[in-house]
Amino acid sequence: MKRITVLSFLAALYVFALEISGCKSNTTTKIVSGSGILYKQITIKEKNKFGEIKVQYPVFPRCPDLNNAVKAAVVSPFRSFRSTMKQDWEEMDRIRRETGPEGITPPFSYDVGCNPVILTDRYISLLFTTYTMEGGAHGDTTVCSFTYDRKLNRQVSITETTGYTLDEIAAYCNDYFTKNLNFSDGSRESEDECTKWIAEGTAPEKKNYEKFTYDGKTLTVYFEPYIVAPYVYGIQKVEIPAK
């Protein structure tokens, strides 16, 4: 009886995963467990002359709000990119052949990974990193996150999760970057610009602190490229001990 129940659950989860991905081909699934949670990891791959796509995301049982949020933030943008990829690549290829160097126009890239996936008795905390390359000088890297309170059965904000105020978190991040992040050229003007950049990126505003993960012991805040430093410095993060 127990085996039938588990198999029924997995079958239902598989159907749900296919529904929210909207893609039956090039889709693989893997059962993953942790902290008493059995969930499905979905991987979608596609490769042709126009682009290479890889999207990974989890689907959790009895968490419809979380799954729908992931669908809106991860699956929907992927669908949108794929729907125009061929047309956009052909347009870039045409322009490149008319004005640029000879040779093959490189394919676009779209890669979404979910790491870390934090599972505790209280929280499900996810960080998604998306890398998009559409023929520019460099790609575009963005992050989004979700922290779901299993006790409250809903997503929670950074202040709800940790008990810290936004001002406290901002002060900690500003102090950390001021001491550890230096991208100036040594001149006073450059140092002032560095300090200003960090101050603006860590200001106690809600939009600056929507990207975080929490495992019950450590709060990790993430900053996309250009938020506190130039693109070459990549994604920056600050780890803050829980209260």
Side-chain angles (χ1 to χ4, degrees), residues 5-16:
T5 301
V6 172
L7 291 175
S8 298
F9 159 71
L10 295 179
L13 195 58
Y14 178 74
V15 172
F16 176 75

Side-chain angles (χ1 to χ4, degrees), residues 171-182 194-195 198:
Y172 193 104
C173 291
N174 182 283
D175 183 63
Y176 175 85
F177 286 132
T178 300
K179 292 178 179 177
N180 297 283
L181 181 62
N182 184 4
C194 179
T195 299
I198 291 173

Side-chain angles (χ1 to χ4, degrees), residues 189-210:
E189 181 179 332
S190 180
E191 289 179 358
D192 289 345
E193 180 64 25
C194 179
T195 299
K196 181 181 178 181
W197 201 335
I198 291 173
E200 291 178 351
T202 60
E205 300 174 8
K206 183 180 178 181
K207 64 181 179 66
N208 288 335
Y209 297 96
E210 295 178 336

